[in-house]
């Protein structure tokens, strides 16, 4: 178990800002830096190992490309990824619509 934990530590010791911001890339005469939302998690458990019980673990992650920073002649601007922005707004709009619908029903009664 100790070897597994130290392997996880070695693998993920550099996780952080370096994973959210990519290396600068030249694209169409402009320098762009990709930006992403990176999240991950791990879990593990051991139950009754001495008695021959089961143990296990797992993990998962998600990366959402948020957009790019664009350097065009000394002026840096952020260009969002519109597809991801729209996908992230769908739950917010759904909740807002349900709240408005409930408010209208409450006002009518």
């Amino acid at each position: 178990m100790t070897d597994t934990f130290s392997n996880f530590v070695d693998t993920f010791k550099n996780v952080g800002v370096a994973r959210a911001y990519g290396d600068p890339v030249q694209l169409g005469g402009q320098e762009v830096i990709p930006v992403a939302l990176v999240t991950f998690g791990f879990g593990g458990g051991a139950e009754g190992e001495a008695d021959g019980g089961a143990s296990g673990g797992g993990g998962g992650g998600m990366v959402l490309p948020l957009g790019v920073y664009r350097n065009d002649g000394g002026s840096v601007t952020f260009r969002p990824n519109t597809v991801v922005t729209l996908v992230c707004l769908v739950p917010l709009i759904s909740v807002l619509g349900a709240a408005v619908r409930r408010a209208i029903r409450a006002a009518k009664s």
Side-chain angles (χ1 to χ4, degrees):
M1 185 71 167
T2 305
D3 292 334
T4 304
F5 182 71
S6 63
N7 286 341
F8 275 137
V9 170
D10 289 339
T11 303
F12 294 100
K13 66 183 175 183
N14 294 323
V15 172
V17 174
R19 298 288 184 236
Y21 295 95
D23 295 328
V25 178
Q26 290 294 328
L27 185 65
Q30 299 175 348
E31 183 179 46
V32 295
I33 301 171
V35 181
L37 173 66
V38 180
T39 181
F40 61 92
F42 296 98
E47 186 173 322
E49 285 185 27
D51 299 333
S55 65
M62 178 181 69
V63 177
L64 290 175
L66 297 178
V68 296
Y69 281 105
R70 183 177 73 177
N71 185 359
D72 187 20
S75 175
V76 178
T77 57
F78 180 74
R79 299 288 309 252
N81 182 343
T82 54
V83 173
V84 171
T85 303
L86 291 174
V87 168
C88 290
L89 286 176
V90 167
L92 178 65
I93 293 170
S94 297
V95 169
L96 183 62
V100 168
R101 183 176 39 201
R102 287 184 181 182
I104 291 172
R105 283 184 188 169
K108 286 182 178 180
S109 56

